[in-house]
Amino acid sequence: MLVTETPIEVRYQETDQMGVVYHANYLVWFEIGRTKFVEALGLNYHQGMEQHNVVSPVIDAQISYKNAVRYGEKPVVKTWLDAYDGLRTVYRYEILTETGDVAVTGTTTHTIVDKDTFRPLSIRRKFPDWHAAYQNQLRKED
């Protein structure tokens, strides 16, 4: 199973007055990790979906805070495919501090929709290459 590791440099504007990363920024880091994961599968969100008038909104996000990440640190976002059923994709994340401690864990669940109508679409039918890549990842998990 593919697990990508994406380094992050904490920028000053991502922190609060205590120098701790503001909680909502972890969701941005999830997106950065997810993009790198998709690219590591040989896929491209912009060319693969957006150019076909398809977007992939987050329909659920779960996040659990364990340890603070501070300005000047260099955490890593680990990303992998947690679940996929042809309609929904669940990515799982761990953000590790530079000492290797778990700072944040979470998941995001996505579907794909027509950009104009927001009507749900089947990944399996609309993007068979994405479907095959995700199915392959789930088989590697077993």
Side-chain angles (χ1 to χ4, degrees):
M1 175 179 64
L2 176 66
V3 177
T4 58
E5 293 188 10
T6 308
I8 301 289
E9 288 191 34
V10 179
R11 298 173 299 175
Y12 183 77
Q13 67 267 28
E14 293 174 315
T15 63
D16 59 20
Q17 287 185 332
M18 298 175 290
V20 173
V21 172
Y22 178 70
H23 68 277
N25 285 307
Y26 294 111
L27 292 169
V28 173
W29 295 358
F30 283 5
E31 183 177 356
I32 292 168
R34 185 171 61 251
T35 299
K36 294 298 183 188
F37 176 82
V38 167
E39 290 171 357
L41 289 177
L43 304 169
N44 182 294
Y45 180 71
H46 177 68
Q47 292 174 344
M49 287 191 185
E50 288 181 341
Q51 288 184 342
H52 292 92
N53 208 41
V54 173
V55 293
S56 181
V58 175
I59 59 172
D60 185 63
Q62 302 292 317
I63 189 165
S64 180
Y65 305 96
K66 313 281 186 195
N67 288 295
V69 176
R70 291 179 166 69
Y71 175 66
E73 292 183 4
K74 295 182 178 167
V76 171
V77 181
K78 292 175 70 172
T79 308
W80 63 96
L81 184 66
D82 191 54
Y84 169 72
D85 65 7
L87 295 172
R88 290 179 191 85
T89 306
V90 180
Y91 301 93
R92 183 165 294 279
Y93 313 89
E94 278 186 348
I95 297 177
L96 305 176
T97 66
E98 57 189 18
T99 60
D101 294 323
V102 175
V104 174
T105 61
T107 61
T108 57
T109 303
H110 302 255
T111 189
I112 64 169
V113 299
D114 179 280
K115 186 176 181 178
D116 296 328
T117 66
F118 251 65
R119 185 174 189 180
L121 302 168
S122 165
I123 297 171
R124 182 178 321 157
R125 281 183 259 161
K126 185 78 175 171
F127 300 107
D129 53 337
W130 288 67
H131 174 73
Y134 287 165
Q135 288 286 74
N136 187 41
Q137 286 304 302
L138 293 177
R139 279 192 288 277
K140 288 181 179 180
E141 206 173 82
D142 297 333

